[in-house]
Amino acid sequence: RTVFSHSLHSLSLWGKNEQSFPIPFLKITPLFYQKKKITPLPSVLHLQFCKKPSMSNPSSSWVAQFNPGDWVEIRPRGVGFRGSWYAGTVVLREAKNTNRYVVEYDQLYADESGEKLLQETLDWVQLRPPPPPPEKKVQFKFEDEVEAFYSYGWWEGAIIAEHSGGKFAVFLRGFDEQIVFEEKDLRLPVQWVKGKWEPRFEQVQREKENSNFSKEVMKFTQGMQVEVLTDEDGLKGAWFAATIIEPSGEDKYLIEYKTLRNDDDTEFLREVILACNIRPCPPEIIVVDGFKVWDAVDAYYNEGWWVGVIAKVLINSNYEVNFIEYDEKTTFNQADLRPHQDWLNGKWVVP
Protein backbone atom coordinates (compact mmCIF):
# COMPACT_ATOMS: atom_id res chain seq x y z
CA ARG A 1 0.00 0.00 0.00
CA THR A 2 1.39 3.32 -1.01
CA VAL A 3 1.58 5.92 1.78
CA PHE A 4 2.14 9.61 1.13
CA SER A 5 3.19 12.47 3.40
CA HIS A 6 0.77 15.29 4.12
CA SER A 7 3.19 17.68 2.43
CA LEU A 8 2.11 16.55 -1.05
CA HIS A 9 -0.13 18.96 -2.90
CA SER A 10 -2.73 16.45 -4.10
CA LEU A 11 -3.75 12.83 -4.16
CA SER A 12 -6.33 10.98 -6.19
CA LEU A 13 -8.46 7.88 -6.12
CA TRP A 14 -8.15 5.95 -9.36
CA GLY A 15 -10.69 3.67 -11.00
CA LYS A 16 -10.49 1.33 -13.95
CA ASN A 17 -12.13 4.01 -16.10
CA GLU A 18 -9.18 6.28 -15.11
CA GLN A 19 -11.46 8.81 -13.44
CA SER A 20 -9.73 10.53 -10.57
CA PHE A 21 -11.09 12.23 -7.48
CA PRO A 22 -9.10 14.33 -5.02
CA ILE A 23 -8.65 13.03 -1.50
CA PRO A 24 -9.46 15.90 0.87
CA PHE A 25 -6.78 17.22 3.21
CA LEU A 26 -7.12 18.39 6.77
CA LYS A 27 -5.07 21.54 6.48
CA ILE A 28 -3.89 21.80 10.08
CA THR A 29 -3.12 18.17 10.91
CA PRO A 30 0.24 16.68 9.85
CA LEU A 31 -0.88 13.10 9.17
CA PHE A 32 -0.36 10.58 6.41
CA TYR A 33 -2.65 9.74 3.53
CA GLN A 34 -3.18 6.61 1.50
CA LYS A 35 -3.58 6.27 -2.22
CA LYS A 36 -6.32 3.82 -3.11
CA LYS A 37 -7.97 2.73 -6.32
CA ILE A 38 -11.62 2.27 -7.06
CA THR A 39 -14.02 0.85 -9.62
CA PRO A 40 -17.58 2.01 -10.24
CA LEU A 41 -20.08 0.97 -7.59
CA PRO A 42 -22.82 -1.33 -8.96
CA SER A 43 -26.11 0.54 -8.96
CA VAL A 44 -27.79 -2.32 -7.11
CA LEU A 45 -25.97 -1.22 -3.98
CA HIS A 46 -28.02 1.95 -3.99
CA LEU A 47 -30.95 -0.19 -2.83
CA GLN A 48 -28.99 -1.11 0.30
CA PHE A 49 -30.25 -4.72 0.38
CA CYS A 50 -27.81 -6.83 2.37
CA LYS A 51 -27.24 -9.87 4.50
CA LYS A 52 -27.83 -8.91 8.10
CA PRO A 53 -24.83 -9.40 10.39
CA SER A 54 -25.42 -11.42 13.50
CA MET A 55 -25.26 -9.66 16.85
CA SER A 56 -25.67 -10.28 20.52
CA ASN A 57 -28.70 -8.98 22.38
CA PRO A 58 -28.35 -5.23 22.98
CA SER A 59 -27.25 -4.38 26.49
CA SER A 60 -25.26 -1.75 28.30
CA SER A 61 -22.06 -3.55 27.25
CA TRP A 62 -23.23 -4.22 23.71
CA VAL A 63 -20.59 -4.99 21.08
CA ALA A 64 -21.43 -5.69 17.43
CA GLN A 65 -20.62 -9.11 16.05
CA PHE A 66 -20.12 -9.81 12.36
CA ASN A 67 -19.59 -13.01 10.44
CA PRO A 68 -17.40 -13.68 7.37
CA GLY A 69 -19.38 -12.78 4.27
CA ASP A 70 -21.51 -10.09 5.96
CA TRP A 71 -22.01 -7.02 3.82
CA VAL A 72 -21.07 -3.91 5.74
CA GLU A 73 -20.33 -0.24 5.40
CA ILE A 74 -16.80 0.70 6.45
CA ARG A 75 -15.48 3.91 7.95
CA PRO A 76 -12.01 3.93 6.32
CA ARG A 77 -8.91 4.84 8.29
CA GLY A 78 -7.07 8.05 7.44
CA VAL A 79 -7.96 11.71 7.69
CA GLY A 80 -8.50 11.84 3.91
CA PHE A 81 -11.60 9.66 4.29
CA ARG A 82 -13.09 11.40 7.33
CA GLY A 83 -16.88 11.54 7.19
CA SER A 84 -17.30 8.75 4.62
CA TRP A 85 -18.67 5.22 4.45
CA TYR A 86 -17.61 2.64 1.83
CA ALA A 87 -19.19 -0.68 0.93
CA GLY A 88 -17.32 -3.87 1.80
CA THR A 89 -17.45 -7.43 3.08
CA VAL A 90 -16.23 -9.05 6.29
CA VAL A 91 -13.42 -11.51 5.51
CA LEU A 92 -12.68 -12.86 8.99
CA ARG A 93 -12.75 -12.06 12.69
CA GLU A 94 -9.44 -11.96 14.54
CA ALA A 95 -8.91 -14.87 16.89
CA LYS A 96 -6.92 -12.99 19.56
CA ASN A 97 -8.95 -9.78 19.50
CA THR A 98 -12.53 -10.68 18.66
CA ASN A 99 -13.52 -7.02 18.37
CA ARG A 100 -11.36 -6.56 15.27
CA TYR A 101 -12.18 -7.70 11.76
CA VAL A 102 -10.45 -8.09 8.42
CA VAL A 103 -12.64 -6.44 5.79
CA GLU A 104 -12.40 -6.17 2.03
CA TYR A 105 -13.62 -3.09 0.18
CA ASP A 106 -15.88 -3.47 -2.82
CA GLN A 107 -14.39 -0.50 -4.69
CA LEU A 108 -10.96 0.30 -3.22
CA TYR A 109 -7.91 -1.51 -4.59
CA ALA A 110 -4.57 -2.32 -3.00
CA ASP A 111 -2.48 -1.64 -6.12
CA GLU A 112 -2.56 0.40 -9.28
CA SER A 113 -3.31 -2.62 -11.47
CA GLY A 114 -6.82 -2.72 -10.05
CA GLU A 115 -6.72 -6.48 -9.65
CA LYS A 116 -6.50 -6.91 -5.87
CA LEU A 117 -9.17 -5.46 -3.61
CA LEU A 118 -7.91 -3.60 -0.55
CA GLN A 119 -8.19 -5.35 2.81
CA GLU A 120 -7.82 -3.71 6.22
CA THR A 121 -8.06 -4.78 9.85
CA LEU A 122 -10.44 -2.48 11.73
CA ASP A 123 -12.19 -2.17 15.08
CA TRP A 124 -15.87 -3.10 15.23
CA VAL A 125 -16.86 0.54 15.80
CA GLN A 126 -15.69 1.30 12.24
CA LEU A 127 -18.19 -1.15 10.77
CA ARG A 128 -21.96 -1.20 10.46
CA PRO A 129 -24.58 -2.93 8.29
CA PRO A 130 -25.71 -0.97 5.22
CA PRO A 131 -28.55 1.32 6.33
CA PRO A 132 -32.06 0.21 5.33
CA PRO A 133 -33.93 2.18 2.66
CA PRO A 134 -36.23 4.90 4.04
CA GLU A 135 -39.77 3.88 4.87
CA LYS A 136 -41.14 6.75 2.80
CA LYS A 137 -39.87 9.08 0.11
CA VAL A 138 -37.60 11.76 1.52
CA GLN A 139 -38.31 15.36 0.55
CA PHE A 140 -34.90 16.99 0.73
CA LYS A 141 -34.70 20.69 1.42
CA PHE A 142 -32.29 23.55 2.06
CA GLU A 143 -30.00 23.07 5.09
CA ASP A 144 -30.70 19.33 5.40
CA GLU A 145 -27.78 17.27 6.66
CA VAL A 146 -27.23 14.50 4.11
CA GLU A 147 -24.84 11.84 2.90
CA ALA A 148 -23.98 12.15 -0.79
CA PHE A 149 -22.72 9.35 -3.03
CA TYR A 150 -19.40 10.66 -4.38
CA SER A 151 -16.07 9.05 -5.24
CA TYR A 152 -17.85 5.71 -4.80
CA GLY A 153 -18.57 6.28 -1.12
CA TRP A 154 -21.13 8.08 1.02
CA TRP A 155 -19.81 11.45 2.24
CA GLU A 156 -21.29 13.78 4.86
CA GLY A 157 -22.50 17.19 3.77
CA ALA A 158 -25.32 19.73 3.86
CA ILE A 159 -27.72 21.00 1.18
CA ILE A 160 -26.93 24.63 0.46
CA ALA A 161 -29.21 25.19 -2.56
CA GLU A 162 -32.12 23.57 -4.38
CA HIS A 163 -31.91 23.35 -8.20
CA SER A 164 -34.51 22.51 -10.81
CA GLY A 165 -34.94 18.96 -12.01
CA GLY A 166 -34.67 17.42 -8.57
CA LYS A 167 -31.04 18.39 -8.07
CA PHE A 168 -29.36 19.83 -5.00
CA ALA A 169 -26.12 21.68 -4.34
CA VAL A 170 -24.35 20.00 -1.44
CA PHE A 171 -21.36 21.26 0.48
CA LEU A 172 -19.15 18.23 1.18
CA ARG A 173 -17.13 19.00 4.29
CA GLY A 174 -14.46 16.41 3.59
CA PHE A 175 -13.70 17.94 0.18
CA ASP A 176 -14.42 21.56 1.20
CA GLU A 177 -16.35 22.14 -2.01
CA GLN A 178 -19.86 22.47 -3.43
CA ILE A 179 -21.14 19.73 -5.77
CA VAL A 180 -24.55 19.27 -7.44
CA PHE A 181 -26.22 15.89 -6.90
CA GLU A 182 -29.37 14.22 -8.13
CA GLU A 183 -31.88 13.22 -5.49
CA LYS A 184 -31.13 9.50 -5.99
CA ASP A 185 -27.54 10.08 -4.84
CA LEU A 186 -28.54 11.55 -1.47
CA ARG A 187 -29.70 9.95 1.75
CA LEU A 188 -30.42 11.16 5.27
CA PRO A 189 -27.73 10.26 7.83
CA VAL A 190 -28.61 7.62 10.40
CA GLN A 191 -26.56 6.08 13.19
CA TRP A 192 -26.34 2.46 14.27
CA VAL A 193 -26.70 2.30 18.07
CA LYS A 194 -26.77 -0.99 19.98
CA GLY A 195 -27.97 -2.90 16.95
CA LYS A 196 -30.72 -0.44 16.01
CA TRP A 197 -30.90 2.29 13.40
CA GLU A 198 -31.65 5.70 14.88
CA PRO A 199 -31.90 9.14 13.26
CA ARG A 200 -29.08 11.54 13.99
CA PHE A 201 -29.81 14.58 16.12
CA GLU A 202 -30.25 16.95 13.16
CA GLN A 203 -32.74 14.54 11.58
CA VAL A 204 -34.76 14.46 14.80
CA GLN A 205 -34.80 18.25 14.69
CA ARG A 206 -35.92 18.11 11.04
CA GLU A 207 -38.81 15.79 11.86
CA LYS A 208 -39.81 17.99 14.79
CA GLU A 209 -40.06 20.98 12.47
CA ASN A 210 -42.39 19.04 10.16
CA SER A 211 -44.56 17.66 12.98
CA ASN A 212 -47.00 19.14 15.44
CA PHE A 213 -44.36 19.93 18.05
CA SER A 214 -44.53 23.38 19.54
CA LYS A 215 -42.68 25.97 17.51
CA GLU A 216 -42.06 28.10 20.56
CA VAL A 217 -38.43 29.00 21.19
CA MET A 218 -37.22 28.92 24.77
CA LYS A 219 -36.75 32.35 26.29
CA PHE A 220 -33.56 33.06 28.21
CA THR A 221 -32.99 35.74 30.82
CA GLN A 222 -30.00 37.98 31.53
CA GLY A 223 -27.31 36.24 33.57
CA MET A 224 -28.66 32.74 32.87
CA GLN A 225 -25.98 30.02 32.62
CA VAL A 226 -26.32 28.10 29.37
CA GLU A 227 -24.46 25.98 26.82
CA VAL A 228 -23.98 27.14 23.24
CA LEU A 229 -23.56 25.12 20.05
CA THR A 230 -21.21 26.57 17.45
CA ASP A 231 -20.73 25.81 13.74
CA GLU A 232 -17.31 27.43 13.59
CA ASP A 233 -14.62 25.41 11.79
CA GLY A 234 -12.82 23.10 14.17
CA LEU A 235 -15.49 23.52 16.87
CA LYS A 236 -18.55 22.11 15.09
CA GLY A 237 -20.69 19.88 17.24
CA ALA A 238 -19.25 20.99 20.60
CA TRP A 239 -21.18 22.69 23.40
CA PHE A 240 -19.52 25.54 25.30
CA ALA A 241 -20.48 27.07 28.64
CA ALA A 242 -21.70 30.66 28.38
CA THR A 243 -23.73 33.39 30.10
CA ILE A 244 -26.70 35.26 28.60
CA ILE A 245 -25.82 38.97 28.42
CA GLU A 246 -28.98 40.32 26.78
CA PRO A 247 -31.50 39.70 23.97
CA SER A 248 -30.29 40.79 20.53
CA GLY A 249 -33.20 40.83 18.12
CA GLU A 250 -35.84 38.17 17.53
CA ASP A 251 -34.82 34.76 18.91
CA LYS A 252 -31.20 35.87 19.27
CA TYR A 253 -29.03 36.56 22.30
CA LEU A 254 -25.70 38.16 23.03
CA ILE A 255 -23.74 35.62 25.04
CA GLU A 256 -20.33 35.57 26.70
CA TYR A 257 -18.35 32.35 26.66
CA LYS A 258 -16.89 31.16 29.94
CA THR A 259 -13.88 29.42 28.38
CA LEU A 260 -13.32 30.89 24.89
CA ARG A 261 -11.42 34.19 24.64
CA ASN A 262 -11.11 36.79 21.90
CA ASP A 263 -8.23 36.95 19.41
CA ASP A 264 -6.23 39.31 21.64
CA ASP A 265 -6.82 37.09 24.69
CA THR A 266 -7.85 40.21 26.60
CA GLU A 267 -11.38 39.14 27.54
CA PHE A 268 -13.90 36.35 27.12
CA LEU A 269 -15.43 36.10 23.66
CA ARG A 270 -18.90 37.54 23.05
CA GLU A 271 -21.17 36.53 20.17
CA VAL A 272 -24.78 36.84 19.03
CA ILE A 273 -26.27 33.34 18.89
CA LEU A 274 -29.61 32.02 17.62
CA ALA A 275 -31.87 30.77 20.41
CA CYS A 276 -32.10 27.35 18.70
CA ASN A 277 -28.36 26.92 19.36
CA ILE A 278 -28.67 27.69 23.07
CA ARG A 279 -29.80 25.30 25.78
CA PRO A 280 -29.85 25.24 29.59
CA CYS A 281 -26.94 23.53 31.32
CA PRO A 282 -27.74 19.80 31.57
CA PRO A 283 -28.48 18.36 35.02
CA GLU A 284 -25.69 16.40 36.64
CA ILE A 285 -25.97 12.62 36.47
CA ILE A 286 -23.83 10.74 38.97
CA VAL A 287 -22.09 7.74 37.43
CA VAL A 288 -21.44 5.27 40.23
CA ASP A 289 -20.25 2.13 38.45
CA GLY A 290 -18.39 3.79 35.59
CA PHE A 291 -19.18 3.76 31.88
CA LYS A 292 -19.55 0.73 29.63
CA VAL A 293 -18.68 0.13 25.98
CA TRP A 294 -20.99 2.03 23.61
CA ASP A 295 -22.31 4.39 26.29
CA ALA A 296 -23.01 7.82 24.79
CA VAL A 297 -20.94 10.47 26.55
CA ASP A 298 -19.83 14.08 26.38
CA ALA A 299 -16.06 14.50 26.71
CA TYR A 300 -14.54 17.75 27.96
CA TYR A 301 -11.87 18.68 25.42
CA ASN A 302 -10.53 21.99 24.13
CA GLU A 303 -12.75 23.96 26.52
CA GLY A 304 -16.00 22.36 25.32
CA TRP A 305 -18.13 19.23 25.53
CA TRP A 306 -17.86 16.88 22.53
CA VAL A 307 -20.26 14.02 21.80
CA GLY A 308 -18.76 10.54 21.54
CA VAL A 309 -19.19 6.90 22.53
CA ILE A 310 -17.14 4.67 24.80
CA ALA A 311 -15.04 2.40 22.57
CA LYS A 312 -12.92 0.71 25.25
CA VAL A 313 -12.78 0.54 29.04
CA LEU A 314 -9.23 1.03 30.34
CA ILE A 315 -7.70 0.82 33.82
CA ASN A 316 -7.78 3.52 36.53
CA SER A 317 -11.15 4.92 35.40
CA ASN A 318 -9.83 5.78 31.94
CA TYR A 319 -11.78 5.28 28.73
CA GLU A 320 -11.13 5.35 25.03
CA VAL A 321 -13.77 7.58 23.44
CA ASN A 322 -14.63 7.38 19.77
CA PHE A 323 -15.74 10.65 18.17
CA ILE A 324 -17.65 9.13 15.26
CA GLU A 325 -18.31 12.49 13.63
CA TYR A 326 -14.54 13.09 13.33
CA ASP A 327 -13.38 9.44 13.08
CA GLU A 328 -10.96 9.92 15.99
CA LYS A 329 -10.30 8.18 19.30
CA THR A 330 -8.92 9.83 22.44
CA THR A 331 -8.36 8.62 26.00
CA PHE A 332 -10.17 10.41 28.84
CA ASN A 333 -10.43 10.00 32.59
CA GLN A 334 -13.92 9.59 33.98
CA ALA A 335 -13.61 13.02 35.60
CA ASP A 336 -13.69 14.56 32.10
CA LEU A 337 -16.75 12.61 30.94
CA ARG A 338 -20.47 12.95 31.53
CA PRO A 339 -23.46 10.94 30.26
CA HIS A 340 -24.77 12.43 27.03
CA GLN A 341 -28.16 14.14 27.17
CA ASP A 342 -30.24 15.82 24.44
CA TRP A 343 -32.45 18.88 24.99
CA LEU A 344 -35.61 17.98 23.04
CA ASN A 345 -39.00 19.68 23.21
CA GLY A 346 -38.09 21.42 26.45
CA LYS A 347 -36.94 18.27 28.24
CA TRP A 348 -33.64 16.52 28.88
CA VAL A 349 -33.54 13.11 27.20
CA VAL A 350 -30.93 10.40 27.82
CA PRO A 351 -30.37 8.33 24.61
Side-chain angles (χ1 to χ4, degrees):
R1 190 184 309 158
T2 308
V3 179
F4 295 87
S5 166
H6 72 286
S7 61
L8 295 179
H9 292 293
S10 63
L11 293 175
S12 295
L13 298 174
W14 292 93
K16 288 185 177 179
N17 57 4
E18 295 305 315
Q19 278 187 289
S20 65
F21 303 89
I23 297 178
F25 279 70
L26 185 65
K27 300 177 181 178
I28 61 174
T29 307
L31 298 175
F32 289 87
Y33 301 82
Q34 299 172 356
K35 180 181 180 183
K36 308 183 183 208
K37 297 188 63 180
I38 54 177
T39 55
L41 179 69
S43 59
V44 67
L45 288 184
H46 284 277
L47 299 177
Q48 299 298 332
F49 296 118
C50 65
K51 296 180 289 182
K52 291 184 178 180
S54 61
M55 62 189 71
S56 60
N57 291 328
S59 67
S60 59
S61 58
W62 182 86
V63 176
Q65 296 182 10
F66 301 93
N67 291 322
D70 283 343
W71 293 351
V72 292
E73 285 194 343
I74 304 165
R75 178 82 77 176
R77 291 186 300 187
V79 177
F81 290 98
R82 175 176 291 166
S84 68
W85 290 97
Y86 278 80
T89 306
V90 174
V91 177
L92 59 87
R93 187 178 187 179
E94 283 194 347
K96 293 184 178 180
N97 186 347
T98 57
N99 290 334
R100 290 176 62 82
Y101 295 85
V102 176
V103 296
E104 182 175 87
Y105 291 91
D106 288 353
Q107 296 82 42
L108 302 186
Y109 283 78
D111 52 37
E112 293 188 3
S113 65
E115 298 177 356
K116 184 178 180 181
L117 290 169
L118 177 67
Q119 292 188 357
E120 285 190 308
T121 301
L122 301 172
D123 292 334
W124 68 274
V125 294
Q126 294 172 266
L127 308 177
R128 70 180 189 182
E135 296 180 357
K136 57 183 179 180
K137 182 177 174 61
V138 178
Q139 300 293 333
F140 295 105
K141 61 181 182 179
F142 174 66
E143 290 187 334
D144 272 353
E145 291 286 328
V146 295
E147 290 178 347
F149 190 71
Y150 183 66
S151 293
Y152 305 104
W154 291 97
W155 292 80
E156 296 177 353
I159 293 177
I160 58 176
E162 299 181 34
H163 292 197
S164 60
K167 296 183 178 181
F168 301 86
V170 177
F171 178 77
L172 295 183
R173 299 185 183 92
F175 291 83
D176 195 24
E177 62 178 294
Q178 171 186 329
I179 302 171
V180 176
F181 291 92
E182 296 183 13
E183 184 176 316
K184 67 181 179 63
D185 293 322
L186 300 177
R187 69 185 188 188
L188 291 178
V190 289
Q191 54 190 1
W192 197 49
V193 180
K194 295 185 179 180
K196 297 185 297 183
W197 287 107
E198 296 182 356
R200 290 198 346 192
F201 175 76
E202 58 268 13
Q203 188 175 340
V204 173
Q205 293 293 91
R206 179 188 198 270
E207 293 174 356
K208 281 177 59 179
E209 292 171 1
N210 295 331
S211 70
N212 292 323
F213 278 96
S214 172
K215 295 291 197 310
E216 291 185 8
V217 176
M218 182 175 178
K219 301 300 182 181
F220 300 95
T221 58
Q222 184 177 3
M224 187 174 180
Q225 303 302 300
V226 295
E227 289 188 347
V228 175
L229 181 69
T230 176
D231 286 331
E232 188 173 338
D233 289 344
L235 301 177
K236 180 177 173 58
W239 289 91
F240 294 87
T243 303
I244 299 292
I245 302 301
E246 61 184 10
S248 181
E250 185 177 359
D251 295 333
K252 295 180 181 180
Y253 293 87
L254 175 65
I255 61 95
E256 181 178 276
Y257 291 98
K258 300 177 73 173
T259 55
L260 300 182
R261 301 184 68 82
N262 61 13
D263 292 338
D264 298 330
D265 196 26
T266 56
E267 58 185 15
F268 288 107
L269 180 65
R270 290 190 174 191
E271 282 187 323
V272 174
I273 301 291
L274 290 171
C276 61
N277 290 329
I278 305 174
R279 69 182 188 183
C281 296
E284 183 179 6
I285 297 178
I286 304 299
V287 179
V288 178
D289 298 324
F291 295 102
K292 299 179 178 62
V293 171
W294 206 249
D295 280 352
V297 296
D298 295 338
Y300 192 74
Y301 180 70
N302 279 354
E303 311 297 343
W305 292 98
W306 301 74
V307 181
V309 295
I310 300 295
K312 185 181 297 184
V313 178
L314 307 174
I315 62 173
N316 299 325
S317 298
N318 292 317
Y319 300 87
E320 186 176 88
V321 176
N322 183 29
F323 299 104
I324 298 177
E325 189 77 19
Y326 291 88
D327 191 23
E328 292 182 357
K329 293 179 182 179
T330 307
T331 299
F332 292 90
N333 186 266
Q334 183 171 326
D336 294 320
L337 300 175
R338 69 185 186 188
H340 177 69
Q341 302 176 72
D342 289 318
W343 178 249
L344 298 176
N345 201 30
K347 297 180 180 179
W348 285 107
V349 179
V350 178

